[in-house]
Amino acid sequence: FPQPGDVQDVVLHDPNGALPHLPWTRGVPDGRGTVVASVFDAQVRAHVEAGGTAVVLLSRLLGAVVAAPGLAVVERRGELDGNWVSNFPWMHAASPAFATAAISNITGFEAAAATPRALIAGVDERAWRQGDVLSGMFFGWINDNHATTVQYRVGRGKVVLTTFDSS
């Protein structure tokens, strides 16, 4: 993460106190600059619609994607745990989000500690087809794919939602 002062016009929106370790100052999203947030709520949505950008570090907080109808954060358990069906995490390695990471499209044991324990369910088919799903997890013979990072245009701005852990 950048050091305080390295990046201008970044505010932290963390109403639940889930991101106390991040270096940015809490602020009110105002449609300018970038918001780093723990939830995609009405304030963050309004910020993005007005032309701002947001990075939302989703956790298993209830209501983490309240302003994104159809999306939900789900834990990797049951058939999504991967203990009984072959699975693999994948990343769109050519995406600017991962371009500087030393990874291939399909990660293995080297990425086990960084693999998200939560998934984004409900991502519409259009986002998958357009390449807006930047990382996810594929679950073998049940032929199920869930996102872990997805980007959307909302109004005049853009939001990136991810379940990667920021700690």
Side-chain angles (χ1 to χ4, degrees):
F1 290 105
Q3 296 298 315
D6 284 355
V7 179
Q8 302 299 315
D9 295 328
V10 176
V11 297
L12 181 65
H13 177 70
D14 186 22
N16 299 308
L19 304 173
H21 55 284
L22 296 182
W24 298 289
T25 304
R26 287 178 183 259
V28 177
D30 63 3
R32 296 174 297 172
T34 300
V35 170
V36 176
S38 59
V39 294
F40 188 62
D41 60 10
Q43 282 185 295
V44 176
R45 185 178 186 99
H47 167 81
V48 175
E49 286 175 341
T53 57
V55 177
V56 183
L57 304 169
L58 299 169
S59 66
R60 292 177 286 266
L61 292 170
L62 185 62
V65 286
V66 70
L71 294 184
V73 177
V74 296
E75 289 191 56
R76 283 183 40 216
R77 61 175 148 182
E79 69 273 5
L80 300 178
D81 186 87
N83 286 331
W84 64 277
V85 64
S86 59
N87 69 3
F88 57 84
W90 58 267
M91 296 176 190
H92 182 7
S95 163
F98 300 111
T100 60
I103 58 167
S104 62
N105 285 337
I106 297 174
T107 62
F109 290 110
E110 76 281 0
T115 300
R117 294 297 310 157
L119 306 166
I120 304 169
V123 175
D124 61 274
E125 192 62 37
R126 188 177 59 198
W128 289 94
R129 281 194 311 269
Q130 291 177 174
D132 285 333
V133 179
L134 304 178
S135 67
M137 186 155 300
F138 177 76
F139 297 91
W141 61 269
I142 62 174
N143 196 23
D144 195 11
N145 214 349
H146 276 75
T148 54
T149 305
V150 62
Q151 63 185 358
Y152 287 103
R153 281 232 165 260
V154 180
R156 296 189 340 244
K158 186 182 248 184
V159 61
V160 175
L161 307 167
T162 188
T163 57
F164 277 93
D165 189 356
S166 65
S167 59

